[in-house]
Amino acid sequence: MTTPIATDAMYRNDEGMGIWEHRGKVAAVGVGHAPTARRWDGRPETCVGAISIQALRQAIADAGVAPDQIDGLVVVRETTTGAFWEEGKPLPMDVIQSFQQTDDPLDGIAKLSAEWLLANMPELSNVKFTMYGPGCMSNALNVTAQAVGDGLAHTCLVVKSWHNFEGRYYQGGANAGDALPGTPAITQLWGGPASYSTALQFAEYCRKYGKTHEMMAPFMENSRRNGLRFPEGYWAQHRPEELGPEDYLASRWIAKPANLFDNDIPIMMSGAYLFSTAERAADMKQKPVYILNHASSNTRPRSLLPTLDEVEDDTARTGRKIYEGAGITADDLSFENMYDGFSLFHQFHLEGLGFRGIKFGEALDFYATDISIEGPNPVSPSGGNVGSGRSRVWMHTDCIQQLQGRAGERQVTGVTPEVAVSGGPMPLGGNFTVWSASPD
Amino acid sequence: MQRDTPVQAGGGLRGKRGYDGALVQEEYVTVLISFDIDGTLEVGDPPGPLTMDMVRLVRDKGFLIGSCSDRTLSGQRGIWATHEIEVDFVVSKHMLPDVKAKFEADTYVHIGDREDLDRQYALKAGFDFLWPDEAVAHDYFQPAP
């Protein structure tokens, strides 16, 4: 079979769509994560395909489902944003020959197809539905939820993986050439570091509301603290280092006012989930976490970079879409778990949600209050990419685990975990999922 | 762990020559070495060729030593504490000028593995620069005769 890329029909992009038609009828049950690493060490068993298989098998086992009961697979085909196989570099034939291959020799090494996974996971003998959710787990989750709701699959796996090679991030691939077509010629080839558009928005945010970069320190410290309680994450597994205010503020600028720690660390990782219908999920090994809604932003900025005004308009719109389709309000959120990789846009997501009633320009003051997992207003209990490395996955795993009551040392204790939302990546152009401990 | 003040501001004897090139006296010189961590020290990620024993060696020679890395300051201190090496400074990557302003030395050297983040920063701050492989072979890291 040839796997299609999800079409617009799989997403909820607009306001006014009403309650999601499958609200409470789709559930996440199993979670799987492979061990992380800073970079690929060149071995077959640690390539991005191998760790994806590992994560998927964990998710299957975690849900207690027989592999032959699985009939769907949603995959994020892209496994990097900035670590590309150097042109002309010899192919690692020993690795390639360790697996069933597809037409692309770098499948399973620098990218990931559904066909490669199915060829190397013979136990998934009854998968009839496959689809790509581009870019992020946030996107793929929307696709998976809609697919299960629509009956395209009743028991569906979803996986997002990241590879990281030696060398500098964002220096290879198209960026290594002398020319790029269209807008990327300005934004990538001749542009600043990847975080510079967020840095510009944050600088304007500080000017508009009278805030400072130093006010980010409590959020950063809290995020790393939570990340160090995330045993699946990079920092917890490899470098259990706190990120106190002195550490954060002493770091060098990457794109002022974005410093090194405002940029997430690229890693090798894979995360997978098993989704099913609410009826089937009830009999599985873990407590079902029900999907109340999914929502997306497909807003395009007027010019090359989104302005702060555009960001605020769109995050507010996203918040309204999230709540409308789920039939909830901001008051229903037990905690907040939006994306953070770049940390300087986390407050845009937070303010767009109106979490705990905060308005635009108030998030950095909110960070100075008790935002810990023990307090009444947990912010990013997952720790996000700041806490566990670049994945865009942690916040989703955390929502599931928190609502299942198995987040371990990270479990929120100041609130009862009942309803949560997670998603990203960017304030313009993200995908979001609303999770609930109950289907109602 | 970090030394509050240099326990011995020195680095070794340097020959001083007269106008005719003849050795007329020896003077005590102060050497300050700044170590990058990742790709430079054996405890880095990736590991580098400089061992912690080599660091101890230059410390015992009386060099001023410390680390200059993208790792957090607390993380750098943690590495030194784990290996029970007292250092004079830990700074972030862009702070070599601060080190030079704080410590008086005859020679300032930074050892690192990156052209952009180590060599360029070092030269701009007025430090000499050594690649890790060059450093391993340098007299600094040879036992005193």
Side-chain angles (χ1 to χ4, degrees):
Chain A
M1 78 180 102
T2 301
T3 298
I5 299 170
T7 64
D8 270 354
M10 302 300 288
Y11 304 98
R12 292 170 57 81
N13 290 319
D14 302 316
E15 288 188 80
M17 295 179 76
I19 298 283
W20 183 39
E21 65 271 26
H22 305 306
R23 180 185 189 274
K25 297 172 185 168
V26 178
V29 184
V31 176
H33 277 267
T36 63
R38 179 77 172 90
R39 295 183 177 85
W40 184 39
D41 59 11
R43 293 183 297 140
E45 57 267 36
T46 54
C47 71
V48 76
I51 63 173
S52 302
I53 293 171
Q54 195 172 348
L56 285 163
R57 286 180 174 152
Q58 263 197 26
I60 297 167
D62 190 50
V65 171
D68 64 1
Q69 296 301 301
I70 294 162
D71 63 349
L73 174 64
V74 175
V75 179
V76 180
R77 189 166 44 179
E78 304 83 7
T79 56
T80 187
T81 55
F84 302 100
W85 193 264
E86 201 177 317
E87 198 172 325
K89 184 178 176 182
L91 294 172
M93 295 312 297
D94 58 326
V95 179
I96 293 168
Q97 290 166 359
S98 298
F99 299 94
Q100 298 295 316
Q101 300 164 38
T102 63
D103 293 340
D104 188 336
L106 289 175
D107 208 348
I109 294 172
K111 59 192 76 169
L112 189 66
S113 74
E115 287 72 26
W116 189 95
L117 283 169
L118 291 176
N120 288 285
M121 294 183 73
E123 69 268 38
L124 296 178
S125 54
N126 286 319
V127 169
K128 307 290 191 303
F129 164 79
T130 58
M131 190 169 277
Y132 291 122
C136 291
M137 178 62 97
S138 297
N139 187 309
L141 285 176
N142 286 190
V143 174
T144 309
Q146 191 66 37
V148 173
D150 288 348
L152 300 172
H154 57 67
T155 305
C156 189
L157 290 165
V158 53
V159 63
K160 165 65 185 179
S161 305
W162 290 81
H163 74 258
N164 190 30
F165 299 142
E166 284 183 7
R168 293 192 61 191
Y169 215 73
Y170 288 123
Q171 303 294 304
N175 287 349
D178 295 327
L180 276 173
T183 302
I186 297 170
T187 56
Q188 289 174 226
L189 195 59
W190 302 108
S195 59
Y196 85 104
S197 61
T198 297
L200 285 173
Q201 292 154 9
F202 186 81
E204 172 60 6
Y205 178 93
C206 289
R207 186 204 64 77
K208 181 176 179 180
Y209 297 114
K211 308 303 176 188
T212 65
H213 180 257
E214 286 76 10
M215 296 175 75
M216 286 292 294
F219 170 77
M220 302 299 287
E221 184 172 33
N222 180 66
S223 294
R224 181 62 65 80
R225 176 178 184 260
N226 294 342
L228 294 179
R229 288 158 176 75
F230 209 140
E232 295 89 343
Y234 172 78
W235 293 104
Q237 289 177 358
H238 300 283
R239 285 169 56 180
E241 301 166 359
E242 302 281 354
L243 184 59
E246 183 201 24
D247 296 319
Y248 173 59
L249 298 174
S251 179
R252 64 187 166 91
W253 299 120
I254 299 298
K256 192 175 180 179
N259 74 14
L260 182 70
F261 294 111
D262 292 315
N263 294 257
D264 46 350
I265 188 169
I267 57 172
M268 299 281 301
M269 74 80 61
S270 181
Y273 309 116
L274 185 141
F275 274 43
S276 191
T277 61
E279 292 82 11
R280 284 174 178 263
D283 297 325
M284 292 181 186
K285 190 172 157 187
Q286 307 297 344
K287 177 183 173 184
V289 174
Y290 300 92
I291 313 301
L292 297 187
N293 185 29
H294 65 86
S296 299
S297 158
N298 59 358
T299 305
R300 295 180 68 87
R302 182 189 61 80
S303 189
L304 291 174
L305 305 174
T307 65
L308 177 63
D309 289 344
E310 288 177 307
V311 165
E312 292 184 336
D313 283 349
D314 205 52
T315 53
R317 189 178 308 118
T318 294
R320 293 193 296 272
K321 284 186 273 190
I322 287 169
Y323 296 137
E324 178 196 354
I328 62 171
T329 70
D331 293 341
D332 293 308
L333 294 180
S334 306
F335 49 84
E336 180 276 339
N337 233 343
M338 301 291 260
Y339 186 55
D340 69 335
F342 306 114
S343 58
L344 297 186
F345 63 53
H346 188 81
Q347 77 284 346
F348 299 144
H349 285 303
L350 189 71
E351 292 170 353
L353 284 177
F355 179 65
R356 296 295 187 263
I358 66 167
K359 298 178 175 58
F360 288 116
E362 297 180 354
L364 301 195
D365 294 308
F366 189 68
Y367 288 166
T369 67
D370 183 0
I371 57 172
S372 73
I373 53 176
E374 295 87 359
N377 307 313
V379 168
S380 195
S382 73
N385 282 21
V386 173
S388 290
R390 177 171 298 169
S391 80
R392 307 178 179 174
V393 173
W394 310 117
M395 66 277 199
H396 305 304
T397 297
D398 187 64
C399 284
I400 297 169
Q401 292 179 337
Q402 294 283 359
L403 298 189
Q404 289 177 326
R406 54 179 186 140
E409 284 187 52
R410 223 175 51 258
Q411 188 70 48
V412 294
T413 56
V415 294
T416 303
E418 293 173 331
V419 176
V421 60
S422 57
M426 307 304 280
L428 265 75
N431 305 87
F432 307 88
T433 301
V434 185
W435 314 85
S436 174
S438 114
D440 305 319
Chain B
M1 61 192 75
Q2 190 164 341
R3 289 195 291 226
D4 292 333
T5 53
V7 293
Q8 179 187 9
L13 295 173
R14 177 171 63 187
K16 187 174 183 180
R17 296 178 185 278
Y19 67 93
D20 59 355
L23 187 66
V24 294
Q25 69 178 86
E26 288 186 320
E27 65 179 8
Y28 204 73
V29 295
T30 305
V31 178
L32 180 148
I33 296 184
S34 157
F35 294 94
D36 169 46
I37 296 174
D38 296 316
T40 298
L41 297 180
E42 64 175 332
V43 297
D45 179 14
L50 282 159
T51 67
M52 298 310 260
D53 280 344
M54 290 173 172
V55 177
R56 289 188 187 91
L57 179 70
V58 292
R59 182 203 58 187
D60 292 345
K61 284 184 175 181
F63 287 26
L64 298 169
I65 62 166
S67 50
C68 172
S69 164
D70 271 339
R71 293 200 178 212
T72 58
L73 301 181
S74 59
Q76 294 182 50
R77 291 188 193 108
I79 288 172
W80 296 123
T82 298
H83 292 84
E84 298 182 332
I85 296 175
E86 290 190 6
V87 295
D88 300 293
F89 59 89
V90 294
V91 293
S92 293
K93 201 64 134 180
H94 59 301
M95 295 171 69
L96 284 179
D98 301 73
V99 173
K100 192 164 189 187
K102 183 173 180 181
F103 295 96
E104 192 170 327
D106 296 298
T107 301
Y108 298 85
V109 182
H110 177 68
I111 303 168
D113 70 324
R114 288 274 297 264
E115 166 64 27
D116 52 348
L117 294 178
D118 289 304
R119 185 173 175 272
Q120 289 182 21
Y121 270 141
L123 298 181
K124 191 174 178 184
F127 278 57
D128 294 335
F129 176 77
L130 292 172
W131 298 104
D133 288 338
E134 292 177 327
V136 167
H138 196 280
D139 284 348
Y140 293 148
F141 295 96
Q142 310 310 315

